[in-house]
Amino acid sequence: MNRFVQPVPPPADPYADDTLLRSWLERHLGPAGHAAAKGRLADLAADVSGPLRAAHADAEAHPPTLVRYDPWGARIDRIDTSAGWQAQRAAAARHAVVALPYLPDARGTWGAAARVVQHALLHLYGPESATFSCPVAMADGAAALLSMPDVDAVVRDAWLPRLIATDPATAITSGQWMTESQGGSDLGRSSTVGRPAADGSWRLTGQKWFCSAADAAMAVALARPDGAGRGSRVLAPFLVPRYAADSPLADGAAADAPAPGVTVHRLKDKLGTRALPTAEIGLHDVYALPLGDPAVPGLVRAMTLVVVTRVHNAAAAAGGMRRGLAYARAYADVRHVAGGALASSPLHRATLGTLAVDAAGAFALAGHAFALLGRVEVGADPAAAAELRIVAPLAKLATGRLAVGSASEYVESFGGAGYVEDTGVPRLLRDAQVLPIWEGTTNVLALDVLRALTREDAGAPLLSRLAAAVDLARPLSPALADTLAVATAQLRDTIAAVTADAGAEAVVAGARGLALRLSYALTTALLVEHAAWGDEQAELAARLWARRWLRHEEIAEDAHHHLDLLC
């Protein structure tokens, strides 16, 4: 008897077959704007389905290594990465995944919606990038920080063009050196100190505990200017050249040697994101350039970078959920159980349909954050800035948690094969777990949402959007409108109570629950907005999302019957 081998087809084209993505672009860009983006998106989708999928596998199979010494005993701290990782680096530059919203021609074509196009690129690129989407996010955040008017023009002109280059030979990425082992997200305990030098540069000394993209050409590091006092607000962002080629202190060292004073203690052995070099790094009188005036408390400036990386995190979550769904659906179409295709099982169809609802909600939430970001950057829209203040942490918080739950279901949907490393399926879960952690855990972000509500009245734009969505929902589904109206009224009352006594123990203890309720209601409103524009899939997703996350009802039967529309 011949040995049975299960055929596993690749998922469908990630752009052409993603109807929600395409209708979202049609709405936000208009027909002409979408037409202008189609070639770029189709080219990336072809790369994702072919060479980048292979590069992804190679980078996963050959994780980075740290070479501390050369053959003669000299300390070199070289991080070696695979050919697949380098292919991902080149593709990110070539497809302008970082650069697009900064390019004059892109802004001329799409204006503020250049960020919407970028989100679509990330949606396609991220899931097959071996988590090169992480240095992409940090490079974008660094570019946004360098674009601020209070950054020295000489520093900006030297580094920003390299971050947004589309030629792989010149494009660079950025790391992010912020946390320290004694504090983690408690930045107020940071002990890295910056001291000014006579030439206007600075010297940083300290220990950084979790440095992602440790092979990047530069990093944005937080340090406490000498004499600045305690707390987190006084911390300032600095640009640290990673290699000797960019450090004037190198004194003839090889260009690819670490900048003087940079020591790579070790690479992290992580649960997931295994292709991404993440390190513990020591700094001793390291050359650095201030990003803004270090005499002015700089944590607010650094938040420019954090907002960008948070919305990238949401994009990674939503993109991974959609790609996992595509893999699971493709497998179900060819896997036969109990005398028929797995895809014909009502129970399995209900499972996939429920996952599709979650994926649609995550996509809408991440997409809205990018749309707001574009309006802030291009139009200096104060209403968008006020809303983004709360949407960025909400989008990151909610999508990160959804991604982990969905990834667990995707692994389970493959049965035993989903537990075998070389199928590539387990990485969906391993890599998803970083999403609720990086750039703030669920609890850290929930407290950030609480601060936004109580200190900045960030609930006002959110409640306005929810109220408007109730009116939009009424012609679509009275039940949906009623559900959203009840949730909006409850949230309005809760926000009023929270802002009246923000320090109450019950308020702080309930911050996570409040943040999740806000994000679920906002997602309902966003799906309603897209449905009111004329998208049938969004209308179904809105009704099922509201029942699942606002009313906590079982949606299995409808998810089963409408699976083909949902995905």
Side-chain angles (χ1 to χ4, degrees):
M1 178 180 292
N2 291 332
R3 178 171 172 265
F4 173 76
V5 177
Q6 173 66 50
V8 183
D13 183 291
Y15 169 60
D17 287 9
D18 191 334
T19 55
L20 183 60
L21 169 63
R22 288 188 289 108
S23 71
W24 186 270
L25 293 171
E26 196 78 6
R27 173 181 155 222
H28 284 270
L29 305 179
H34 187 193
K38 282 181 179 178
R40 183 183 292 276
L41 295 167
D43 287 347
L44 178 54
D47 252 9
V48 163
S49 299
L52 289 185
R53 192 163 287 159
H56 173 98
D58 178 74
E60 283 282 315
H62 303 94
T65 56
L66 173 61
V67 180
R68 288 193 174 89
Y69 301 97
D70 74 4
W72 300 99
R75 186 74 182 252
I76 57 174
D77 284 0
R78 187 182 73 237
I79 297 174
D80 289 339
T81 56
S82 68
W85 186 251
Q86 296 306 320
Q88 294 289 351
R89 182 190 305 278
R94 192 170 60 251
H95 291 286
V97 181
V98 174
L100 187 85
Y102 301 92
L103 300 178
D105 61 339
R107 288 194 172 185
T109 301
W110 298 295
R115 281 286 185 185
V116 174
V117 181
Q118 183 196 34
H119 174 234
L121 292 172
L122 292 166
H123 195 68
L124 301 177
Y125 173 78
E128 235 76 46
S129 71
T131 62
F132 198 83
S133 53
C134 178
V136 160
M138 292 185 292
D140 192 356
L145 184 52
L146 279 162
S147 299
M148 293 182 68
D150 55 349
V151 170
D152 188 290
V154 174
V155 177
R156 180 187 304 114
D157 293 345
W159 290 92
L160 181 58
R162 299 170 67 186
L163 286 168
I164 62 173
T166 56
D167 179 356
T170 57
I172 65 169
T173 56
S174 177
Q176 193 168 302
W177 301 352
M178 294 193 178
T179 60
E180 301 179 11
S181 59
Q182 72 276 11
S185 61
D186 181 6
L187 297 176
R189 301 181 67 189
S190 297
S191 59
T192 298
V193 175
R195 296 181 175 86
D199 61 357
S201 66
W202 285 59
R203 303 292 180 268
L204 305 189
T205 297
Q207 302 293 326
K208 295 298 182 179
W209 185 76
F210 212 95
C211 304
S212 289
D215 61 332
M218 58 164 279
V220 175
L222 281 181
R224 190 179 307 280
D226 194 24
R230 304 177 65 179
S232 61
R233 292 178 182 272
V234 299
L235 298 176
F238 292 86
L239 189 156
V240 179
R242 171 72 174 80
Y243 296 106
D246 294 309
S247 173
L249 308 182
D251 293 331
D256 61 348
V262 174
T263 301
V264 182
H265 295 309
R266 62 168 178 161
L267 293 180
K268 300 285 194 180
D269 185 8
K270 299 165 292 178
L271 169 67
T273 65
R274 293 177 177 175
L276 171 67
T278 306
E280 294 178 27
I281 291 180
L283 310 174
H284 182 71
D285 285 338
V286 171
Y287 176 85
L289 299 166
L291 297 174
D293 184 354
V296 177
L299 191 61
V300 172
R301 290 197 301 280
M303 286 303 295
T304 298
L305 181 155
V306 171
V307 167
V308 172
T309 52
R310 282 179 175 175
V311 300
H312 271 262
N313 197 94
M321 290 169 69
R322 175 63 196 177
R323 197 66 52 82
L325 179 65
Y327 276 115
R329 181 69 194 270
Y331 181 71
D333 287 339
V334 298
R335 179 65 175 172
H336 283 260
V337 296
L342 183 56
S344 66
S345 161
L347 178 57
H348 197 67
R349 288 176 63 84
T351 302
L352 293 179
T354 301
L355 290 166
V357 170
D358 287 354
F363 173 80
L365 194 50
H368 181 55
F370 272 86
L372 290 173
L373 179 60
R375 287 167 52 194
V376 171
E377 292 176 332
V378 173
D381 185 336
E387 190 175 357
L388 183 62
R389 172 63 185 92
I390 194 166
V391 167
L394 286 179
K396 193 275 184 190
L397 174 153
T399 59
R401 294 186 62 78
L402 286 168
V404 174
S406 294
S408 180
E409 290 282 7
Y410 295 142
V411 170
E412 188 176 341
S413 72
F414 284 84
Y419 203 64
V420 177
E421 277 290 346
D422 58 5
T423 65
V425 178
R427 70 163 181 81
L428 295 173
L429 183 56
R430 288 191 285 101
D431 288 351
Q433 189 59 66
V434 76
L435 297 168
I437 296 173
W438 185 58
E439 290 298 12
T441 63
T442 304
N443 285 355
V444 168
L445 288 165
L447 293 175
D448 189 30
V449 169
L450 196 61
R451 284 190 292 272
L453 291 172
T454 57
R455 298 178 185 175
E456 301 169 52
D457 194 26
L462 206 60
L463 291 171
S464 295
R465 184 172 294 276
L466 296 180
V470 172
D471 294 334
L472 291 174
R474 191 71 61 189
L476 301 173
S477 165
L480 171 59
D482 289 344
T483 297
L484 186 54
V486 169
T488 301
Q490 291 173 342
L491 286 169
R492 183 178 289 109
D493 291 345
T494 302
I495 289 171
V498 162
T499 54
D501 190 5
E505 186 176 276
V507 169
V508 176
R512 175 194 283 235
L514 174 58
L516 288 170
R517 287 167 57 205
L518 287 167
S519 63
Y520 297 153
L522 172 61
T523 301
T524 307
L526 297 173
L527 290 170
V528 165
E529 290 173 5
H530 198 50
W533 172 80
D535 188 277
E536 184 182 7
Q537 182 183 5
E539 181 180 343
L540 176 60
R543 289 195 286 108
L544 295 182
W545 175 278
R547 287 176 53 197
R548 173 164 163 74
W549 292 110
L550 298 186
R551 295 170 58 178
H552 306 289
E553 294 179 355
E554 180 58 69
I555 63 170
E557 184 176 2
D558 280 340
H560 150 52
H561 284 303
H562 298 292
L563 173 63
D564 294 333
L565 177 58
L566 288 167
C567 64

